Amino acid sequence: MTFQELKPQVTAITVNTILSRDEKLLAVCQLLQDSVDYYNWVGFYFANQETQTLHLGPYVGAETDHTVIPFGKGICGQVAISNDNFVVPDVAAQDNYIACSFTVKSEVVVPLFVNGQNIGQIDIDSHVLDPFTEADERFLEFVNQEIAKLY
């Protein structure tokens, strides 16, 4: 399924009046993992500005021990500070990478902004080397724009 085909499905989930916010986030994660063959772990982390930490929200994929990540640590922690997308074609070549699983080969993290503030991010791990393109980034920015409407 193409990103263009996925966009209305993402929007349909976010405007669903029956689901709670966390159920919507989980449904979006499931949709992305089911629809994009190289999206092997899809989840959200949310920022706690007081403690300067990210906290794991809804996700699909293998269990992770990384439920709290300090700002600056790992790819997610760097995005919490930089406010920029971060694409890692090969996690083995990244110095500040927090290893989740030996099966993870690449990662993309896109910040989630609400009213101009970075409140969290969507994090995607892949078992494939270097699969992420600019099209993935633009699509995930769209996803986060839809998610931002929930806050």
Side-chain angles (χ1 to χ4, degrees):
M1 189 171 302
T2 69
F3 292 140
Q4 281 305 115
E5 293 168 323
L6 282 173
K7 285 181 176 183
Q9 293 185 47
V10 169
T11 301
I13 291 169
T14 61
V15 298
N16 182 314
T17 57
I18 297 168
L19 299 176
S20 70
R21 181 166 58 197
D22 277 357
E23 288 170 330
K24 292 176 185 183
L25 292 170
L26 185 61
V28 167
C29 291
Q30 193 68 60
L31 173 68
L32 299 187
Q33 186 191 49
D34 290 347
S35 302
V36 183
D37 62 352
Y38 55 92
Y39 285 15
N40 302 114
W41 190 97
V42 180
F44 289 93
Y45 281 92
F46 292 95
N48 180 322
Q49 297 298 334
E50 287 182 24
T51 61
Q52 296 286 285
T53 52
L54 294 166
H55 296 264
L56 182 62
Y59 73 94
V60 295
E63 277 194 48
T64 180
D65 293 334
H66 303 116
T67 58
V68 179
I69 299 173
F71 283 14
K73 185 162 174 56
I75 308 309
C76 292
Q78 290 177 71
V79 169
I81 292 172
S82 73
N83 296 322
D84 293 323
N85 298 352
F86 199 151
V87 177
V88 182
D90 180 359
V91 297
Q94 185 65 35
D95 288 341
N96 193 9
Y97 174 69
I98 302 172
C100 296
S101 164
F102 69 92
T103 59
V104 175
K105 304 292 186 219
S106 57
E107 182 175 13
V108 60
V109 179
V110 176
L112 170 61
F113 295 100
V114 174
N115 298 321
Q117 182 181 11
N118 181 347
I119 68 154
Q121 54 206 225
I122 190 168
D123 178 18
I124 313 249
D125 292 343
S126 179
H127 299 163
V128 178
L129 278 173
D130 199 15
F132 303 112
T133 67
E134 187 175 327
D136 290 277
E137 289 186 76
R138 298 298 83 80
F139 172 66
L140 295 170
E141 288 167 355
F142 167 82
V143 170
N144 279 354
Q145 288 167 0
E146 293 300 293
I147 297 299
K149 296 173 186 174
L150 303 175
Y151 290 87

